Every structure is written in C-alpha cells, then in structure tokens.
Amino acid sequence: MNDQTPPRAKVLGGLTPYLQVDGAIKAAEFYKKAFGAEEVFAYPPDDKGRTMHIHLYVNGSTLMLGDAYPEHGHPHQAAQGYTLQLHLGSDDIDAWWKRAVDAGCEVVTPLQVMFWGDRWGQVKDPFGVAWAMNAPVK
C-alpha cells in the first residue's frame, strides 16, 4: 500500500453486494441520506469525477459501489433483476421507509403486511436500484 491509499475498512457480513452505478459518489451521498449509510472507505475521483470503489456500512452490513469504466471493459448497465433487502425491526421500519421516501426513493410496492406475515415494501432509488424493507409484525 502506498502513502496515498487510506487504510481499508473491515468488511461486515459474509456476502457483499457490489453495485456498478452511474455516479458512485452521488449514489453514496444519496445512500447516506436515504438509508443512513456510513462511508468508511473511498478512492478519490478521477479527472472525470468517477471512482472505482466506495465502501459503505448500511444497517450493519457492507455495501460497495463504483462507477462504470467502459474504456476498461466495464460499461454502465442499468440495474435489473435484483433487490437489496433491509431486514429491520418492527419498531424501525416506518422510520427507515419514511427516510428513504423523503430522500427521493420512488415507491414501487407500498409498505404492507404480506402473505408471509411480515411488513414489506419496495422502493427504487434514483440510480435504478431496487431496495426492499422487511420487518416482523408486532
């Protein structure tokens, strides 16, 4: 590691979602507002404002993200076919839901009691990523 590279943060959890988004720095800022994310590591932006890596903590887990680099074989692809699910307590889900919607997430499925007995809902963030929230019913 050189003198310009900050120490890496501990990875939380056994599976780490790694998102490629269009505007990783803006997405990280949004995730701080919408989901209470804490940024624990980031490479500085290049001359085009892109970063190859940001490490966040969200709800006790690690989430990593970076920008597309088409010149290196990593073009931007729209998010599709997956959902990031937040497992929350029954006393927490309403506040998490409100914060995400107030920050600018679009409601896809309203928060409601589902057939499996938990409260669940889904939102989409401005970067096209689907987020769901699930909590047991009191």
PDB file of all heavy atoms in Angstrom, residues 99-120:
ATOM      1  N   ARG A  99     -37.611   7.856   5.753  1.00  0.00           N
ATOM      2  CA  ARG A  99     -36.341   8.488   5.393  1.00  0.00           C
ATOM      3  C   ARG A  99     -36.007   8.219   3.927  1.00  0.00           C
ATOM      4  O   ARG A  99     -35.597   9.131   3.201  1.00  0.00           O
ATOM      5  CB  ARG A  99     -35.225   7.971   6.302  1.00  0.00           C
ATOM      6  CG  ARG A  99     -33.865   8.567   5.973  1.00  0.00           C
ATOM      7  CD  ARG A  99     -32.783   8.122   6.925  1.00  0.00           C
ATOM      8  NE  ARG A  99     -32.661   6.675   6.916  1.00  0.00           N
ATOM      9  CZ  ARG A  99     -32.042   5.980   7.861  1.00  0.00           C
ATOM     10  NH1 ARG A  99     -31.486   6.592   8.886  1.00  0.00           N
ATOM     11  NH2 ARG A  99     -31.968   4.666   7.781  1.00  0.00           N
ATOM     12  N   ALA A 100     -36.194   6.982   3.458  1.00  0.00           N
ATOM     13  CA  ALA A 100     -35.885   6.643   2.065  1.00  0.00           C
ATOM     14  C   ALA A 100     -36.788   7.395   1.091  1.00  0.00           C
ATOM     15  O   ALA A 100     -36.317   7.942   0.089  1.00  0.00           O
ATOM     16  CB  ALA A 100     -36.015   5.130   1.854  1.00  0.00           C
ATOM     17  N   VAL A 101     -38.079   7.436   1.378  1.00  0.00           N
ATOM     18  CA  VAL A 101     -39.030   8.122   0.501  1.00  0.00           C
ATOM     19  C   VAL A 101     -38.776   9.628   0.526  1.00  0.00           C
ATOM     20  O   VAL A 101     -38.751  10.286  -0.518  1.00  0.00           O
ATOM     21  CB  VAL A 101     -40.483   7.762   0.878  1.00  0.00           C
ATOM     22  CG1 VAL A 101     -41.476   8.611   0.105  1.00  0.00           C
ATOM     23  CG2 VAL A 101     -40.737   6.267   0.627  1.00  0.00           C
ATOM     24  N   ASP A 102     -38.555  10.180   1.715  1.00  0.00           N
ATOM     25  CA  ASP A 102     -38.276  11.619   1.827  1.00  0.00           C
ATOM     26  C   ASP A 102     -36.990  12.009   1.090  1.00  0.00           C
ATOM     27  O   ASP A 102     -36.880  13.116   0.572  1.00  0.00           O
ATOM     28  CB  ASP A 102     -38.181  12.052   3.287  1.00  0.00           C
ATOM     29  CG  ASP A 102     -39.524  12.072   4.002  1.00  0.00           C
ATOM     30  OD1 ASP A 102     -40.581  11.919   3.331  1.00  0.00           O
ATOM     31  OD2 ASP A 102     -39.529  12.225   5.245  1.00  0.00           O
ATOM     32  N   ALA A 103     -36.020  11.099   1.037  1.00  0.00           N
ATOM     33  CA  ALA A 103     -34.752  11.380   0.354  1.00  0.00           C
ATOM     34  C   ALA A 103     -34.903  11.352  -1.166  1.00  0.00           C
ATOM     35  O   ALA A 103     -34.071  11.894  -1.880  1.00  0.00           O
ATOM     36  CB  ALA A 103     -33.682  10.367   0.784  1.00  0.00           C
ATOM     37  N   GLY A 104     -35.964  10.700  -1.664  1.00  0.00           N
ATOM     38  CA  GLY A 104     -36.188  10.682  -3.108  1.00  0.00           C
ATOM     39  C   GLY A 104     -36.376   9.313  -3.724  1.00  0.00           C
ATOM     40  O   GLY A 104     -36.391   9.189  -4.953  1.00  0.00           O
ATOM     41  N   CYS A 105     -36.525   8.268  -2.906  1.00  0.00           N
ATOM     42  CA  CYS A 105     -36.819   6.948  -3.463  1.00  0.00           C
ATOM     43  C   CYS A 105     -38.260   6.903  -3.949  1.00  0.00           C
ATOM     44  O   CYS A 105     -39.147   7.506  -3.342  1.00  0.00           O
ATOM     45  CB  CYS A 105     -36.612   5.852  -2.416  1.00  0.00           C
ATOM     46  SG  CYS A 105     -34.891   5.479  -2.067  1.00  0.00           S
ATOM     47  N   GLU A 106     -38.468   6.202  -5.045  1.00  0.00           N
ATOM     48  CA  GLU A 106     -39.803   6.016  -5.628  1.00  0.00           C
ATOM     49  C   GLU A 106     -40.430   4.755  -5.024  1.00  0.00           C
ATOM     50  O   GLU A 106     -39.805   3.689  -5.007  1.00  0.00           O
ATOM     51  CB  GLU A 106     -39.656   5.850  -7.138  1.00  0.00           C
ATOM     52  CG  GLU A 106     -40.902   5.437  -7.855  1.00  0.00           C
ATOM     53  CD  GLU A 106     -40.622   5.009  -9.299  1.00  0.00           C
ATOM     54  OE1 GLU A 106     -39.547   5.312  -9.835  1.00  0.00           O
ATOM     55  OE2 GLU A 106     -41.504   4.344  -9.871  1.00  0.00           O
ATOM     56  N   VAL A 107     -41.671   4.877  -4.546  1.00  0.00           N
ATOM     57  CA  VAL A 107     -42.373   3.714  -4.001  1.00  0.00           C
ATOM     58  C   VAL A 107     -42.784   2.806  -5.150  1.00  0.00           C
ATOM     59  O   VAL A 107     -43.458   3.234  -6.082  1.00  0.00           O
ATOM     60  CB  VAL A 107     -43.604   4.139  -3.167  1.00  0.00           C
ATOM     61  CG1 VAL A 107     -44.391   2.911  -2.717  1.00  0.00           C
ATOM     62  CG2 VAL A 107     -43.171   4.977  -1.970  1.00  0.00           C
ATOM     63  N   VAL A 108     -42.370   1.546  -5.079  1.00  0.00           N
ATOM     64  CA  VAL A 108     -42.734   0.535  -6.063  1.00  0.00           C
ATOM     65  C   VAL A 108     -43.873  -0.319  -5.504  1.00  0.00           C
ATOM     66  O   VAL A 108     -44.882  -0.521  -6.164  1.00  0.00           O
ATOM     67  CB  VAL A 108     -41.520  -0.349  -6.439  1.00  0.00           C
ATOM     68  CG1 VAL A 108     -41.925  -1.471  -7.389  1.00  0.00           C
ATOM     69  CG2 VAL A 108     -40.402   0.494  -7.034  1.00  0.00           C
ATOM     70  N   THR A 109     -43.699  -0.817  -4.300  1.00  0.00           N
ATOM     71  CA  THR A 109     -44.731  -1.578  -3.586  1.00  0.00           C
ATOM     72  C   THR A 109     -44.867  -0.946  -2.206  1.00  0.00           C
ATOM     73  O   THR A 109     -43.897  -0.928  -1.441  1.00  0.00           O
ATOM     74  CB  THR A 109     -44.333  -3.065  -3.425  1.00  0.00           C
ATOM     75  OG1 THR A 109     -44.077  -3.617  -4.714  1.00  0.00           O
ATOM     76  CG2 THR A 109     -45.429  -3.853  -2.731  1.00  0.00           C
ATOM     77  N   PRO A 110     -46.042  -0.397  -1.879  1.00  0.00           N
ATOM     78  CA  PRO A 110     -46.207   0.243  -0.576  1.00  0.00           C
ATOM     79  C   PRO A 110     -45.941  -0.726   0.576  1.00  0.00           C
ATOM     80  O   PRO A 110     -46.157  -1.936   0.465  1.00  0.00           O
ATOM     81  CB  PRO A 110     -47.674   0.681  -0.571  1.00  0.00           C
ATOM     82  CG  PRO A 110     -48.058   0.749  -2.015  1.00  0.00           C
ATOM     83  CD  PRO A 110     -47.247  -0.316  -2.694  1.00  0.00           C
ATOM     84  N   LEU A 111     -45.453  -0.180   1.670  1.00  0.00           N
ATOM     85  CA  LEU A 111     -45.189  -0.957   2.877  1.00  0.00           C
ATOM     86  C   LEU A 111     -46.510  -1.528   3.386  1.00  0.00           C
ATOM     87  O   LEU A 111     -47.475  -0.795   3.588  1.00  0.00           O
ATOM     88  CB  LEU A 111     -44.561  -0.032   3.920  1.00  0.00           C
ATOM     89  CG  LEU A 111     -43.943  -0.650   5.150  1.00  0.00           C
ATOM     90  CD1 LEU A 111     -42.849  -1.640   4.787  1.00  0.00           C
ATOM     91  CD2 LEU A 111     -43.385   0.448   6.037  1.00  0.00           C
ATOM     92  N   GLN A 112     -46.553  -2.854   3.545  1.00  0.00           N
ATOM     93  CA  GLN A 112     -47.796  -3.518   3.938  1.00  0.00           C
ATOM     94  C   GLN A 112     -47.508  -4.889   4.529  1.00  0.00           C
ATOM     95  O   GLN A 112     -46.412  -5.430   4.351  1.00  0.00           O
ATOM     96  CB  GLN A 112     -48.711  -3.675   2.726  1.00  0.00           C
ATOM     97  CG  GLN A 112     -48.087  -4.503   1.613  1.00  0.00           C
ATOM     98  CD  GLN A 112     -48.849  -4.414   0.316  1.00  0.00           C
ATOM     99  OE1 GLN A 112     -49.937  -4.959   0.221  1.00  0.00           O
ATOM    100  NE2 GLN A 112     -48.289  -3.722  -0.679  1.00  0.00           N
ATOM    101  N   VAL A 113     -48.480  -5.464   5.211  1.00  0.00           N
ATOM    102  CA  VAL A 113     -48.350  -6.829   5.718  1.00  0.00           C
ATOM    103  C   VAL A 113     -48.539  -7.771   4.532  1.00  0.00           C
ATOM    104  O   VAL A 113     -49.520  -7.693   3.803  1.00  0.00           O
ATOM    105  CB  VAL A 113     -49.379  -7.123   6.829  1.00  0.00           C
ATOM    106  CG1 VAL A 113     -49.279  -8.581   7.282  1.00  0.00           C
ATOM    107  CG2 VAL A 113     -49.181  -6.177   8.011  1.00  0.00           C
ATOM    108  N   MET A 114     -47.550  -8.661   4.369  1.00  0.00           N
ATOM    109  CA  MET A 114     -47.549  -9.570   3.226  1.00  0.00           C
ATOM    110  C   MET A 114     -48.050 -10.950   3.638  1.00  0.00           C
ATOM    111  O   MET A 114     -48.214 -11.235   4.819  1.00  0.00           O
ATOM    112  CB  MET A 114     -46.136  -9.671   2.646  1.00  0.00           C
ATOM    113  CG  MET A 114     -45.588  -8.329   2.151  1.00  0.00           C
ATOM    114  SD  MET A 114     -46.607  -7.521   0.894  1.00  0.00           S
ATOM    115  CE  MET A 114     -46.156  -8.475  -0.546  1.00  0.00           C
ATOM    116  N   PHE A 115     -48.265 -11.823   2.664  1.00  0.00           N
ATOM    117  CA  PHE A 115     -48.820 -13.154   2.913  1.00  0.00           C
ATOM    118  C   PHE A 115     -47.955 -13.994   3.842  1.00  0.00           C
ATOM    119  O   PHE A 115     -48.443 -14.905   4.492  1.00  0.00           O
ATOM    120  CB  PHE A 115     -49.073 -13.902   1.593  1.00  0.00           C
ATOM    121  CG  PHE A 115     -47.832 -14.229   0.815  1.00  0.00           C
ATOM    122  CD1 PHE A 115     -47.146 -15.424   1.030  1.00  0.00           C
ATOM    123  CD2 PHE A 115     -47.342 -13.344  -0.142  1.00  0.00           C
ATOM    124  CE1 PHE A 115     -46.003 -15.727   0.312  1.00  0.00           C
ATOM    125  CE2 PHE A 115     -46.199 -13.642  -0.863  1.00  0.00           C
ATOM    126  CZ  PHE A 115     -45.530 -14.828  -0.637  1.00  0.00           C
ATOM    127  N   TRP A 116     -46.652 -13.695   3.941  1.00  0.00           N
ATOM    128  CA  TRP A 116     -45.781 -14.469   4.831  1.00  0.00           C
ATOM    129  C   TRP A 116     -45.807 -13.931   6.258  1.00  0.00           C
ATOM    130  O   TRP A 116     -45.159 -14.474   7.138  1.00  0.00           O
ATOM    131  CB  TRP A 116     -44.352 -14.575   4.295  1.00  0.00           C
ATOM    132  CG  TRP A 116     -43.645 -13.254   4.104  1.00  0.00           C
ATOM    133  CD1 TRP A 116     -42.938 -12.557   5.052  1.00  0.00           C
ATOM    134  CD2 TRP A 116     -43.552 -12.490   2.899  1.00  0.00           C
ATOM    135  NE1 TRP A 116     -42.425 -11.402   4.513  1.00  0.00           N
ATOM    136  CE2 TRP A 116     -42.785 -11.346   3.187  1.00  0.00           C
ATOM    137  CE3 TRP A 116     -44.035 -12.662   1.609  1.00  0.00           C
ATOM    138  CZ2 TRP A 116     -42.494 -10.370   2.228  1.00  0.00           C
ATOM    139  CZ3 TRP A 116     -43.736 -11.700   0.664  1.00  0.00           C
ATOM    140  CH2 TRP A 116     -42.992 -10.576   0.977  1.00  0.00           C
ATOM    141  N   GLY A 117     -46.553 -12.842   6.490  1.00  0.00           N
ATOM    142  CA  GLY A 117     -46.770 -12.347   7.839  1.00  0.00           C
ATOM    143  C   GLY A 117     -45.910 -11.174   8.271  1.00  0.00           C
ATOM    144  O   GLY A 117     -46.120 -10.634   9.352  1.00  0.00           O
ATOM    145  N   ASP A 118     -44.940 -10.752   7.466  1.00  0.00           N
ATOM    146  CA  ASP A 118     -44.102  -9.594   7.793  1.00  0.00           C
ATOM    147  C   ASP A 118     -44.587  -8.363   7.044  1.00  0.00           C
ATOM    148  O   ASP A 118     -45.300  -8.469   6.040  1.00  0.00           O
ATOM    149  CB  ASP A 118     -42.645  -9.849   7.380  1.00  0.00           C
ATOM    150  CG  ASP A 118     -41.944 -10.888   8.236  1.00  0.00           C
ATOM    151  OD1 ASP A 118     -42.444 -11.225   9.318  1.00  0.00           O
ATOM    152  OD2 ASP A 118     -40.875 -11.370   7.798  1.00  0.00           O
ATOM    153  N   ARG A 119     -44.178  -7.185   7.532  1.00  0.00           N
ATOM    154  CA  ARG A 119     -44.393  -5.946   6.778  1.00  0.00           C
ATOM    155  C   ARG A 119     -43.253  -5.832   5.777  1.00  0.00           C
ATOM    156  O   ARG A 119     -42.089  -6.019   6.118  1.00  0.00           O
ATOM    157  CB  ARG A 119     -44.402  -4.745   7.712  1.00  0.00           C
ATOM    158  CG  ARG A 119     -45.659  -4.703   8.544  1.00  0.00           C
ATOM    159  CD  ARG A 119     -45.725  -3.486   9.438  1.00  0.00           C
ATOM    160  NE  ARG A 119     -45.961  -2.290   8.632  1.00  0.00           N
ATOM    161  CZ  ARG A 119     -45.536  -1.070   8.981  1.00  0.00           C
ATOM    162  NH1 ARG A 119     -44.863  -0.889  10.091  1.00  0.00           N
ATOM    163  NH2 ARG A 119     -45.805  -0.041   8.215  1.00  0.00           N
ATOM    164  N   TRP A 120     -43.601  -5.534   4.539  1.00  0.00           N
ATOM    165  CA  TRP A 120     -42.634  -5.472   3.456  1.00  0.00           C
ATOM    166  C   TRP A 120     -43.058  -4.407   2.465  1.00  0.00           C
ATOM    167  O   TRP A 120     -44.242  -4.182   2.230  1.00  0.00           O
ATOM    168  CB  TRP A 120     -42.577  -6.838   2.753  1.00  0.00           C
ATOM    169  CG  TRP A 120     -41.533  -6.982   1.690  1.00  0.00           C
ATOM    170  CD1 TRP A 120     -40.262  -7.422   1.864  1.00  0.00           C
ATOM    171  CD2 TRP A 120     -41.672  -6.711   0.290  1.00  0.00           C
ATOM    172  NE1 TRP A 120     -39.601  -7.441   0.658  1.00  0.00           N
ATOM    173  CE2 TRP A 120     -40.453  -7.013  -0.326  1.00  0.00           C
ATOM    174  CE3 TRP A 120     -42.726  -6.242  -0.504  1.00  0.00           C
ATOM    175  CZ2 TRP A 120     -40.233  -6.857  -1.690  1.00  0.00           C
ATOM    176  CZ3 TRP A 120     -42.513  -6.087  -1.858  1.00  0.00           C
ATOM    177  CH2 TRP A 120     -41.279  -6.397  -2.445  1.00  0.00           C
TER     178      TRP A 120
END
